[in-house]
Amino acid sequence: EVQLLESGGGLVQPGGSLRLSCAASGFNFRDYAMSWVRQAPGKGLEWVSSISGSDEVTYYADSVKGRFTISRDNSKNTLSLQMNSLRVEDTAEYYCVKEFEYLDTLDYWGQGTLVTVSS
Amino acid sequence: SSELTQDPAVSVALGQTVRITCQGDSLRSYYASWYQKKPGQAPVLVISDRNNRPSGIPYRISGSSSRNTASLTISGAQAEDEADYYCSSRDSSGYQWVFGGGTKVTVL
């Protein structure tokens, strides 16, 4: 059974930093690209960042480019998102998501971790 | 990047059929996926690859696609189908993901 368990969310002041982690199990982690998707309160889903499986090529939404860094540790089946220079508009539930490239879809989602940026 | 457009809300009587649509240029190159999102829960994939239904998704939920439009149909809507539904696809670059704004489905 695929499981994705996020951690690291919390309250941070504008300009601060936070690191999210996602522990993956139930599949061969290194074979799959992974993404972070967020949902701000009362808003829709927004793709944040993706990382490929083995060669670890990264992609970012324009809204977070230069501030967020996605990474993975295939030896520990862990996905991370380092978030710097946080803004109020980064407040959201952040989901760790597994990609299934064969069907070009996001097939498994974690339960999410809440990030609140407020003074 | 590109955009996907969805109607904000639709309602359907219990047991009736509802179709929600998603429009965007990226859908000319990539199939849409559809996700069901209920309050306080993680999104769940319900349709991928035009009309591929993951295990556990009821047969009453189906998908279709034509040109730049993808559709999700719920035939015989049940109370548990009340949720927000989001479409998504690769964007024009092929490396990023784009989401529609979501459609709130209310079952009356």
Side-chain angles (χ1 to χ4, degrees), chain B residues 42-78:
Chain B
V44 174
L45 175 67
V46 294
I47 292 289
S48 66
D49 196 33
R50 185 169 59 183
N51 192 24
N52 182 287
R53 198 182 303 104
S55 173
I57 303 302
Y59 288 109
R60 63 178 180 274
I61 295 178
S62 62
S64 62
S65 179
S66 177
R67 299 176 188 172
N68 71 330
T69 301
S71 300
L72 180 77
T73 300
I74 306 174
S75 305
Q78 302 299 303

PDB file of all heavy atoms in Angstrom, chain B residues 42-78:
ATOM      1  N   ALA B  42      -7.357  14.522   1.821  1.00  0.00           N
ATOM      2  CA  ALA B  42      -6.440  14.684   0.693  1.00  0.00           C
ATOM      3  C   ALA B  42      -7.192  14.478  -0.622  1.00  0.00           C
ATOM      4  O   ALA B  42      -8.188  13.756  -0.666  1.00  0.00           O
ATOM      5  CB  ALA B  42      -5.308  13.663   0.806  1.00  0.00           C
ATOM      6  N   PRO B  43      -6.722  15.099  -1.684  1.00  0.00           N
ATOM      7  CA  PRO B  43      -7.304  14.818  -3.004  1.00  0.00           C
ATOM      8  C   PRO B  43      -7.145  13.344  -3.357  1.00  0.00           C
ATOM      9  O   PRO B  43      -6.170  12.696  -2.960  1.00  0.00           O
ATOM     10  CB  PRO B  43      -6.483  15.701  -3.949  1.00  0.00           C
ATOM     11  CG  PRO B  43      -5.949  16.793  -3.084  1.00  0.00           C
ATOM     12  CD  PRO B  43      -5.682  16.137  -1.761  1.00  0.00           C
ATOM     13  N   VAL B  44      -8.109  12.832  -4.104  1.00  0.00           N
ATOM     14  CA  VAL B  44      -8.104  11.447  -4.558  1.00  0.00           C
ATOM     15  C   VAL B  44      -8.229  11.427  -6.076  1.00  0.00           C
ATOM     16  O   VAL B  44      -9.122  12.066  -6.632  1.00  0.00           O
ATOM     17  CB  VAL B  44      -9.260  10.644  -3.927  1.00  0.00           C
ATOM     18  CG1 VAL B  44      -9.334   9.244  -4.531  1.00  0.00           C
ATOM     19  CG2 VAL B  44      -9.086  10.566  -2.415  1.00  0.00           C
ATOM     20  N   LEU B  45      -7.334  10.704  -6.729  1.00  0.00           N
ATOM     21  CA  LEU B  45      -7.421  10.547  -8.178  1.00  0.00           C
ATOM     22  C   LEU B  45      -8.632   9.699  -8.515  1.00  0.00           C
ATOM     23  O   LEU B  45      -8.782   8.587  -8.002  1.00  0.00           O
ATOM     24  CB  LEU B  45      -6.149   9.879  -8.699  1.00  0.00           C
ATOM     25  CG  LEU B  45      -6.124   9.521 -10.183  1.00  0.00           C
ATOM     26  CD1 LEU B  45      -6.114  10.782 -11.039  1.00  0.00           C
ATOM     27  CD2 LEU B  45      -4.919   8.630 -10.492  1.00  0.00           C
ATOM     28  N   VAL B  46      -9.510  10.211  -9.399  1.00  0.00           N
ATOM     29  CA  VAL B  46     -10.690   9.436  -9.796  1.00  0.00           C
ATOM     30  C   VAL B  46     -10.659   9.032 -11.267  1.00  0.00           C
ATOM     31  O   VAL B  46     -11.230   8.015 -11.656  1.00  0.00           O
ATOM     32  CB  VAL B  46     -12.003  10.182  -9.478  1.00  0.00           C
ATOM     33  CG1 VAL B  46     -12.181  10.338  -7.964  1.00  0.00           C
ATOM     34  CG2 VAL B  46     -12.081  11.527 -10.175  1.00  0.00           C
ATOM     35  N   ILE B  47      -9.991   9.825 -12.106  1.00  0.00           N
ATOM     36  CA  ILE B  47      -9.880   9.524 -13.532  1.00  0.00           C
ATOM     37  C   ILE B  47      -8.526   9.991 -14.036  1.00  0.00           C
ATOM     38  O   ILE B  47      -8.080  11.104 -13.723  1.00  0.00           O
ATOM     39  CB  ILE B  47     -10.980  10.201 -14.363  1.00  0.00           C
ATOM     40  CG1 ILE B  47     -12.359   9.617 -14.059  1.00  0.00           C
ATOM     41  CG2 ILE B  47     -10.670  10.105 -15.870  1.00  0.00           C
ATOM     42  CD1 ILE B  47     -12.580   8.204 -14.594  1.00  0.00           C
ATOM     43  N   SER B  48      -7.853   9.141 -14.829  1.00  0.00           N
ATOM     44  CA  SER B  48      -6.631   9.556 -15.511  1.00  0.00           C
ATOM     45  C   SER B  48      -6.685   9.067 -16.951  1.00  0.00           C
ATOM     46  O   SER B  48      -7.548   8.257 -17.318  1.00  0.00           O
ATOM     47  CB  SER B  48      -5.398   9.002 -14.801  1.00  0.00           C
ATOM     48  OG  SER B  48      -5.366   7.592 -14.888  1.00  0.00           O
ATOM     49  N   ASP B  49      -5.765   9.560 -17.778  1.00  0.00           N
ATOM     50  CA  ASP B  49      -5.617   9.048 -19.135  1.00  0.00           C
ATOM     51  C   ASP B  49      -6.951   9.021 -19.881  1.00  0.00           C
ATOM     52  O   ASP B  49      -7.287   8.037 -20.536  1.00  0.00           O
ATOM     53  CB  ASP B  49      -5.012   7.641 -19.069  1.00  0.00           C
ATOM     54  CG  ASP B  49      -4.481   7.196 -20.419  1.00  0.00           C
ATOM     55  OD1 ASP B  49      -4.009   8.057 -21.175  1.00  0.00           O
ATOM     56  OD2 ASP B  49      -4.551   5.989 -20.705  1.00  0.00           O
ATOM     57  N   ARG B  50      -7.686  10.051 -19.772  1.00  0.00           N
ATOM     58  CA  ARG B  50      -8.998  10.250 -20.395  1.00  0.00           C
ATOM     59  C   ARG B  50     -10.101   9.504 -19.656  1.00  0.00           C
ATOM     60  O   ARG B  50     -11.087  10.083 -19.238  1.00  0.00           O
ATOM     61  CB  ARG B  50      -9.006   9.877 -21.874  1.00  0.00           C
ATOM     62  CG  ARG B  50     -10.331  10.192 -22.574  1.00  0.00           C
ATOM     63  CD  ARG B  50     -10.236  10.064 -24.062  1.00  0.00           C
ATOM     64  NE  ARG B  50      -9.833   8.731 -24.487  1.00  0.00           N
ATOM     65  CZ  ARG B  50      -9.628   8.409 -25.756  1.00  0.00           C
ATOM     66  NH1 ARG B  50      -9.760   9.316 -26.713  1.00  0.00           N
ATOM     67  NH2 ARG B  50      -9.271   7.190 -26.093  1.00  0.00           N
ATOM     68  N   ASN B  51      -9.990   8.159 -19.500  1.00  0.00           N
ATOM     69  CA  ASN B  51     -11.056   7.436 -18.811  1.00  0.00           C
ATOM     70  C   ASN B  51     -10.513   6.202 -18.097  1.00  0.00           C
ATOM     71  O   ASN B  51     -11.117   5.142 -18.121  1.00  0.00           O
ATOM     72  CB  ASN B  51     -12.158   7.043 -19.796  1.00  0.00           C
ATOM     73  CG  ASN B  51     -13.414   6.559 -19.092  1.00  0.00           C
ATOM     74  OD1 ASN B  51     -13.668   6.904 -17.935  1.00  0.00           O
ATOM     75  ND2 ASN B  51     -14.190   5.730 -19.759  1.00  0.00           N
ATOM     76  N   ASN B  52      -9.364   6.341 -17.444  1.00  0.00           N
ATOM     77  CA  ASN B  52      -8.811   5.254 -16.639  1.00  0.00           C
ATOM     78  C   ASN B  52      -9.229   5.466 -15.189  1.00  0.00           C
ATOM     79  O   ASN B  52      -8.923   6.499 -14.600  1.00  0.00           O
ATOM     80  CB  ASN B  52      -7.284   5.237 -16.783  1.00  0.00           C
ATOM     81  CG  ASN B  52      -6.656   4.105 -16.013  1.00  0.00           C
ATOM     82  OD1 ASN B  52      -6.593   4.127 -14.787  1.00  0.00           O
ATOM     83  ND2 ASN B  52      -6.208   3.084 -16.728  1.00  0.00           N
ATOM     84  N   ARG B  53      -9.928   4.481 -14.638  1.00  0.00           N
ATOM     85  CA  ARG B  53     -10.476   4.599 -13.287  1.00  0.00           C
ATOM     86  C   ARG B  53      -9.643   3.776 -12.324  1.00  0.00           C
ATOM     87  O   ARG B  53      -9.546   2.552 -12.474  1.00  0.00           O
ATOM     88  CB  ARG B  53     -11.922   4.096 -13.283  1.00  0.00           C
ATOM     89  CG  ARG B  53     -12.768   4.515 -12.123  1.00  0.00           C
ATOM     90  CD  ARG B  53     -14.169   3.900 -12.238  1.00  0.00           C
ATOM     91  NE  ARG B  53     -14.820   4.259 -13.473  1.00  0.00           N
ATOM     92  CZ  ARG B  53     -14.962   3.443 -14.507  1.00  0.00           C
ATOM     93  NH1 ARG B  53     -14.496   2.216 -14.462  1.00  0.00           N
ATOM     94  NH2 ARG B  53     -15.592   3.858 -15.603  1.00  0.00           N
ATOM     95  N   PRO B  54      -8.993   4.393 -11.326  1.00  0.00           N
ATOM     96  CA  PRO B  54      -8.205   3.614 -10.353  1.00  0.00           C
ATOM     97  C   PRO B  54      -9.087   2.646  -9.582  1.00  0.00           C
ATOM     98  O   PRO B  54     -10.303   2.823  -9.495  1.00  0.00           O
ATOM     99  CB  PRO B  54      -7.628   4.686  -9.418  1.00  0.00           C
ATOM    100  CG  PRO B  54      -7.679   5.952 -10.195  1.00  0.00           C
ATOM    101  CD  PRO B  54      -8.893   5.833 -11.061  1.00  0.00           C
ATOM    102  N   SER B  55      -8.452   1.637  -9.029  1.00  0.00           N
ATOM    103  CA  SER B  55      -9.167   0.673  -8.216  1.00  0.00           C
ATOM    104  C   SER B  55      -9.908   1.365  -7.072  1.00  0.00           C
ATOM    105  O   SER B  55      -9.356   2.251  -6.411  1.00  0.00           O
ATOM    106  CB  SER B  55      -8.179  -0.344  -7.641  1.00  0.00           C
ATOM    107  OG  SER B  55      -8.799  -1.195  -6.721  1.00  0.00           O
ATOM    108  N   GLY B  56     -11.178   0.993  -6.883  1.00  0.00           N
ATOM    109  CA  GLY B  56     -11.971   1.556  -5.799  1.00  0.00           C
ATOM    110  C   GLY B  56     -12.841   2.728  -6.193  1.00  0.00           C
ATOM    111  O   GLY B  56     -13.727   3.127  -5.424  1.00  0.00           O
ATOM    112  N   ILE B  57     -12.614   3.277  -7.366  1.00  0.00           N
ATOM    113  CA  ILE B  57     -13.450   4.379  -7.844  1.00  0.00           C
ATOM    114  C   ILE B  57     -14.693   3.781  -8.510  1.00  0.00           C
ATOM    115  O   ILE B  57     -14.557   2.918  -9.381  1.00  0.00           O
ATOM    116  CB  ILE B  57     -12.691   5.281  -8.834  1.00  0.00           C
ATOM    117  CG1 ILE B  57     -11.417   5.825  -8.168  1.00  0.00           C
ATOM    118  CG2 ILE B  57     -13.581   6.410  -9.332  1.00  0.00           C
ATOM    119  CD1 ILE B  57     -11.656   6.610  -6.896  1.00  0.00           C
ATOM    120  N   PRO B  58     -15.881   4.217  -8.129  1.00  0.00           N
ATOM    121  CA  PRO B  58     -17.109   3.586  -8.657  1.00  0.00           C
ATOM    122  C   PRO B  58     -17.279   3.800 -10.154  1.00  0.00           C
ATOM    123  O   PRO B  58     -16.840   4.805 -10.717  1.00  0.00           O
ATOM    124  CB  PRO B  58     -18.222   4.272  -7.861  1.00  0.00           C
ATOM    125  CG  PRO B  58     -17.625   5.522  -7.316  1.00  0.00           C
ATOM    126  CD  PRO B  58     -16.180   5.261  -7.125  1.00  0.00           C
ATOM    127  N   TYR B  59     -17.957   2.839 -10.778  1.00  0.00           N
ATOM    128  CA  TYR B  59     -18.159   2.877 -12.232  1.00  0.00           C
ATOM    129  C   TYR B  59     -18.996   4.064 -12.680  1.00  0.00           C
ATOM    130  O   TYR B  59     -18.970   4.431 -13.861  1.00  0.00           O
ATOM    131  CB  TYR B  59     -18.812   1.580 -12.699  1.00  0.00           C
ATOM    132  CG  TYR B  59     -17.892   0.396 -12.665  1.00  0.00           C
ATOM    133  CD1 TYR B  59     -18.066  -0.616 -11.726  1.00  0.00           C
ATOM    134  CD2 TYR B  59     -16.826   0.283 -13.568  1.00  0.00           C
ATOM    135  CE1 TYR B  59     -17.210  -1.701 -11.688  1.00  0.00           C
ATOM    136  CE2 TYR B  59     -15.977  -0.801 -13.534  1.00  0.00           C
ATOM    137  CZ  TYR B  59     -16.171  -1.792 -12.590  1.00  0.00           C
ATOM    138  OH  TYR B  59     -15.313  -2.860 -12.546  1.00  0.00           O
ATOM    139  N   ARG B  60     -19.763   4.657 -11.763  1.00  0.00           N
ATOM    140  CA  ARG B  60     -20.613   5.783 -12.142  1.00  0.00           C
ATOM    141  C   ARG B  60     -19.795   7.032 -12.484  1.00  0.00           C
ATOM    142  O   ARG B  60     -20.328   7.981 -13.058  1.00  0.00           O
ATOM    143  CB  ARG B  60     -21.612   6.121 -11.038  1.00  0.00           C
ATOM    144  CG  ARG B  60     -21.012   6.579  -9.732  1.00  0.00           C
ATOM    145  CD  ARG B  60     -22.097   6.935  -8.717  1.00  0.00           C
ATOM    146  NE  ARG B  60     -21.553   7.374  -7.443  1.00  0.00           N
ATOM    147  CZ  ARG B  60     -21.217   6.545  -6.471  1.00  0.00           C
ATOM    148  NH1 ARG B  60     -21.382   5.240  -6.628  1.00  0.00           N
ATOM    149  NH2 ARG B  60     -20.713   7.017  -5.341  1.00  0.00           N
ATOM    150  N   ILE B  61     -18.515   7.029 -12.168  1.00  0.00           N
ATOM    151  CA  ILE B  61     -17.628   8.141 -12.492  1.00  0.00           C
ATOM    152  C   ILE B  61     -16.846   7.780 -13.757  1.00  0.00           C
ATOM    153  O   ILE B  61     -16.174   6.742 -13.802  1.00  0.00           O
ATOM    154  CB  ILE B  61     -16.679   8.464 -11.340  1.00  0.00           C
ATOM    155  CG1 ILE B  61     -17.469   8.966 -10.125  1.00  0.00           C
ATOM    156  CG2 ILE B  61     -15.649   9.514 -11.761  1.00  0.00           C
ATOM    157  CD1 ILE B  61     -16.621   9.270  -8.905  1.00  0.00           C
ATOM    158  N   SER B  62     -16.950   8.638 -14.780  1.00  0.00           N
ATOM    159  CA  SER B  62     -16.266   8.356 -16.034  1.00  0.00           C
ATOM    160  C   SER B  62     -15.717   9.646 -16.628  1.00  0.00           C
ATOM    161  O   SER B  62     -16.133  10.740 -16.252  1.00  0.00           O
ATOM    162  CB  SER B  62     -17.206   7.681 -17.033  1.00  0.00           C
ATOM    163  OG  SER B  62     -18.282   8.544 -17.351  1.00  0.00           O
ATOM    164  N   GLY B  63     -14.788   9.491 -17.565  1.00  0.00           N
ATOM    165  CA  GLY B  63     -14.171  10.646 -18.191  1.00  0.00           C
ATOM    166  C   GLY B  63     -14.193  10.541 -19.701  1.00  0.00           C
ATOM    167  O   GLY B  63     -14.346   9.457 -20.264  1.00  0.00           O
ATOM    168  N   SER B  64     -14.058  11.679 -20.360  1.00  0.00           N
ATOM    169  CA  SER B  64     -13.959  11.720 -21.814  1.00  0.00           C
ATOM    170  C   SER B  64     -13.168  12.954 -22.202  1.00  0.00           C
ATOM    171  O   SER B  64     -12.903  13.832 -21.378  1.00  0.00           O
ATOM    172  CB  SER B  64     -15.344  11.731 -22.467  1.00  0.00           C
ATOM    173  OG  SER B  64     -16.052  12.898 -22.078  1.00  0.00           O
ATOM    174  N   SER B  65     -12.802  13.005 -23.488  1.00  0.00           N
ATOM    175  CA  SER B  65     -11.959  14.110 -23.931  1.00  0.00           C
ATOM    176  C   SER B  65     -12.179  14.375 -25.405  1.00  0.00           C
ATOM    177  O   SER B  65     -12.355  13.438 -26.190  1.00  0.00           O
ATOM    178  CB  SER B  65     -10.491  13.774 -23.668  1.00  0.00           C
ATOM    179  OG  SER B  65      -9.651  14.810 -24.102  1.00  0.00           O
ATOM    180  N   SER B  66     -12.174  15.631 -25.795  1.00  0.00           N
ATOM    181  CA  SER B  66     -12.289  16.023 -27.191  1.00  0.00           C
ATOM    182  C   SER B  66     -11.608  17.363 -27.389  1.00  0.00           C
ATOM    183  O   SER B  66     -11.936  18.328 -26.710  1.00  0.00           O
ATOM    184  CB  SER B  66     -13.765  16.118 -27.606  1.00  0.00           C
ATOM    185  OG  SER B  66     -13.875  16.575 -28.935  1.00  0.00           O
ATOM    186  N   ARG B  67     -10.654  17.370 -28.321  1.00  0.00           N
ATOM    187  CA  ARG B  67      -9.915  18.604 -28.643  1.00  0.00           C
ATOM    188  C   ARG B  67      -9.329  19.216 -27.375  1.00  0.00           C
ATOM    189  O   ARG B  67      -8.488  18.619 -26.736  1.00  0.00           O
ATOM    190  CB  ARG B  67     -10.827  19.583 -29.386  1.00  0.00           C
ATOM    191  CG  ARG B  67     -11.328  19.013 -30.702  1.00  0.00           C
ATOM    192  CD  ARG B  67     -12.293  19.951 -31.382  1.00  0.00           C
ATOM    193  NE  ARG B  67     -12.913  19.316 -32.541  1.00  0.00           N
ATOM    194  CZ  ARG B  67     -13.906  19.842 -33.230  1.00  0.00           C
ATOM    195  NH1 ARG B  67     -14.394  21.024 -32.905  1.00  0.00           N
ATOM    196  NH2 ARG B  67     -14.412  19.216 -34.270  1.00  0.00           N
ATOM    197  N   ASN B  68      -9.789  20.401 -26.987  1.00  0.00           N
ATOM    198  CA  ASN B  68      -9.213  21.082 -25.823  1.00  0.00           C
ATOM    199  C   ASN B  68     -10.096  20.991 -24.595  1.00  0.00           C
ATOM    200  O   ASN B  68      -9.938  21.783 -23.661  1.00  0.00           O
ATOM    201  CB  ASN B  68      -8.959  22.552 -26.147  1.00  0.00           C
ATOM    202  CG  ASN B  68     -10.240  23.363 -26.257  1.00  0.00           C
ATOM    203  OD1 ASN B  68     -11.274  22.824 -26.632  1.00  0.00           O
ATOM    204  ND2 ASN B  68     -10.176  24.641 -25.913  1.00  0.00           N
ATOM    205  N   THR B  69     -11.009  20.015 -24.578  1.00  0.00           N
ATOM    206  CA  THR B  69     -11.957  19.905 -23.469  1.00  0.00           C
ATOM    207  C   THR B  69     -11.990  18.486 -22.907  1.00  0.00           C
ATOM    208  O   THR B  69     -12.095  17.519 -23.651  1.00  0.00           O
ATOM    209  CB  THR B  69     -13.366  20.303 -23.928  1.00  0.00           C
ATOM    210  OG1 THR B  69     -13.345  21.643 -24.417  1.00  0.00           O
ATOM    211  CG2 THR B  69     -14.345  20.207 -22.758  1.00  0.00           C
ATOM    212  N   ALA B  70     -11.880  18.399 -21.594  1.00  0.00           N
ATOM    213  CA  ALA B  70     -12.049  17.137 -20.889  1.00  0.00           C
ATOM    214  C   ALA B  70     -13.321  17.217 -20.056  1.00  0.00           C
ATOM    215  O   ALA B  70     -13.679  18.300 -19.571  1.00  0.00           O
ATOM    216  CB  ALA B  70     -10.852  16.862 -19.986  1.00  0.00           C
ATOM    217  N   SER B  71     -13.972  16.090 -19.899  1.00  0.00           N
ATOM    218  CA  SER B  71     -15.225  16.050 -19.140  1.00  0.00           C
ATOM    219  C   SER B  71     -15.195  14.921 -18.130  1.00  0.00           C
ATOM    220  O   SER B  71     -14.614  13.864 -18.384  1.00  0.00           O
ATOM    221  CB  SER B  71     -16.419  15.844 -20.088  1.00  0.00           C
ATOM    222  OG  SER B  71     -16.510  16.879 -21.037  1.00  0.00           O
ATOM    223  N   LEU B  72     -15.838  15.171 -17.005  1.00  0.00           N
ATOM    224  CA  LEU B  72     -16.044  14.160 -15.978  1.00  0.00           C
ATOM    225  C   LEU B  72     -17.544  14.018 -15.799  1.00  0.00           C
ATOM    226  O   LEU B  72     -18.241  15.019 -15.602  1.00  0.00           O
ATOM    227  CB  LEU B  72     -15.396  14.584 -14.659  1.00  0.00           C
ATOM    228  CG  LEU B  72     -15.555  13.594 -13.506  1.00  0.00           C
ATOM    229  CD1 LEU B  72     -14.584  12.431 -13.679  1.00  0.00           C
ATOM    230  CD2 LEU B  72     -15.310  14.269 -12.165  1.00  0.00           C
ATOM    231  N   THR B  73     -18.037  12.780 -15.881  1.00  0.00           N
ATOM    232  CA  THR B  73     -19.466  12.527 -15.743  1.00  0.00           C
ATOM    233  C   THR B  73     -19.709  11.634 -14.532  1.00  0.00           C
ATOM    234  O   THR B  73     -19.023  10.635 -14.345  1.00  0.00           O
ATOM    235  CB  THR B  73     -20.030  11.854 -17.003  1.00  0.00           C
ATOM    236  OG1 THR B  73     -19.818  12.719 -18.131  1.00  0.00           O
ATOM    237  CG2 THR B  73     -21.525  11.587 -16.851  1.00  0.00           C
ATOM    238  N   ILE B  74     -20.677  12.036 -13.729  1.00  0.00           N
ATOM    239  CA  ILE B  74     -21.133  11.203 -12.613  1.00  0.00           C
ATOM    240  C   ILE B  74     -22.555  10.785 -12.949  1.00  0.00           C
ATOM    241  O   ILE B  74     -23.466  11.617 -13.006  1.00  0.00           O
ATOM    242  CB  ILE B  74     -21.090  11.961 -11.276  1.00  0.00           C
ATOM    243  CG1 ILE B  74     -19.690  12.536 -11.027  1.00  0.00           C
ATOM    244  CG2 ILE B  74     -21.488  11.028 -10.138  1.00  0.00           C
ATOM    245  CD1 ILE B  74     -19.600  13.422  -9.786  1.00  0.00           C
ATOM    246  N   SER B  75     -22.720   9.488 -13.211  1.00  0.00           N
ATOM    247  CA  SER B  75     -24.032   8.950 -13.602  1.00  0.00           C
ATOM    248  C   SER B  75     -24.717   8.329 -12.387  1.00  0.00           C
ATOM    249  O   SER B  75     -24.192   7.383 -11.809  1.00  0.00           O
ATOM    250  CB  SER B  75     -23.858   7.902 -14.694  1.00  0.00           C
ATOM    251  OG  SER B  75     -23.131   8.431 -15.792  1.00  0.00           O
ATOM    252  N   GLY B  76     -25.883   8.870 -12.017  1.00  0.00           N
ATOM    253  CA  GLY B  76     -26.531   8.378 -10.806  1.00  0.00           C
ATOM    254  C   GLY B  76     -25.814   8.887  -9.567  1.00  0.00           C
ATOM    255  O   GLY B  76     -25.335   8.102  -8.750  1.00  0.00           O
ATOM    256  N   ALA B  77     -25.741  10.203  -9.449  1.00  0.00           N
ATOM    257  CA  ALA B  77     -24.954  10.811  -8.373  1.00  0.00           C
ATOM    258  C   ALA B  77     -25.458  10.388  -6.992  1.00  0.00           C
ATOM    259  O   ALA B  77     -26.676  10.307  -6.750  1.00  0.00           O
ATOM    260  CB  ALA B  77     -24.986  12.327  -8.499  1.00  0.00           C
ATOM    261  N   GLN B  78     -24.518  10.124  -6.106  1.00  0.00           N
ATOM    262  CA  GLN B  78     -24.815   9.748  -4.728  1.00  0.00           C
ATOM    263  C   GLN B  78     -24.380  10.858  -3.782  1.00  0.00           C
ATOM    264  O   GLN B  78     -23.553  11.700  -4.147  1.00  0.00           O
ATOM    265  CB  GLN B  78     -24.116   8.444  -4.379  1.00  0.00           C
ATOM    266  CG  GLN B  78     -24.484   7.281  -5.276  1.00  0.00           C
ATOM    267  CD  GLN B  78     -25.968   6.954  -5.211  1.00  0.00           C
ATOM    268  OE1 GLN B  78     -26.512   6.684  -4.137  1.00  0.00           O
ATOM    269  NE2 GLN B  78     -26.632   6.995  -6.366  1.00  0.00           N
TER     270      GLN B  78
END
